[in-house]
Amino acid sequence: MKRAHIRPTISVPRTQARPAPHRRDWPRPPKQNPHNRVIAQLLALAGTDSSVIATSAKPWASATFLGARHRIVLKIEGEDPVDKAETFASDLPDAEFSIAGHIVADACVDEWKMMAERPDACTSGNEPPGQGSVILTVFVLTVEDW
C-alpha cells in the first residue's frame, strides 16, 4: 500500500496578539524635559534683579537629533538695567549650561525692549527716580545627549 505524500507542518506565528505600532512611537523613550532647568540657569546668569514673564517650549528634531526650542521672556530691573541686559546678552552665547542628558546647542537674545519708568513710581520728592526695566526674549535650543 502506498502512502499519500505528507507535507511537513509549518508553524506561522500569530499576529493577532501583537500590539499594533503607533505612529508616534519613538525608537527610544524621550528624555526628561529640560525646560525648568534652562529657566533656572538663565535666571542665575541674568542676576538677582531678573524675573521670568513668559515661557514656552516646542519639540524640535532634525535627521539625527531630538530636542526642544525654548522661548523665555526675562525682565531685568534694578539699578542700571541696560548695562545688566547688555552684559547678559554678550555672555549668553558663550555660557556653559549643565543640564543632565541635554546639550545647549544655541542660546541668543532675539528681542530687546526698553520699558520706561512709571511716572507715578515716586510719590515724594525725596526718593530717587525709578530706573525702568528691560524685557529680553531669549531663545535656547537644547539637544538630547545620546
Side-chain angles (χ1 to χ4, degrees):
M1 187 167 180
K2 224 173 181 191
R3 285 186 126 186
H5 181 43
I6 300 175
R7 295 183 181 165
T9 308
I10 299 174
S11 71
V12 177
R14 300 183 74 188
T15 58
Q16 293 173 349
R18 292 183 192 167
H22 296 287
R23 289 183 354 186
R24 296 185 186 254
D25 282 347
W26 291 88
R28 62 182 176 77
K31 294 188 177 184
Q32 189 176 16
N33 188 354
H35 190 65
N36 290 336
R37 290 175 279 172
V38 168
I39 293 170
Q41 291 189 17
L42 282 175
L43 283 173
L45 184 64
T48 57
D49 291 331
S50 62
S51 59
V52 175
I53 296 175
T55 67
S56 66
K58 292 183 181 180
W60 174 88
S62 69
T64 54
F65 298 108
L66 294 175
R69 292 182 305 165
H70 308 271
R71 178 183 170 270
I72 299 103
V73 180
L74 293 175
K75 182 177 184 180
I76 299 177
E77 297 177 302
E79 190 173 319
D80 206 8
V82 176
D83 284 343
K84 289 179 184 179
E86 287 175 352
T87 304
F88 173 78
S90 66
D91 292 345
L92 183 62
D94 298 327
E96 292 291 327
F97 291 86
S98 61
I99 300 172
H102 295 270
I103 297 170
V104 174
D106 189 25
C108 65
V109 174
D110 189 52
E111 191 177 345
W112 176 295
K113 290 182 187 175
M114 288 289 303
M115 302 300 288
E117 61 184 71
R118 294 187 341 232
D120 61 342
C122 295
T123 55
S124 69
N126 297 335
E127 297 176 10
Q131 295 291 327
S133 61
V134 177
I135 307 293
L136 300 175
T137 303
V138 179
F139 282 96
V140 178
L141 175 64
T142 57
V143 177
E144 289 185 8
D145 186 15
W146 291 56

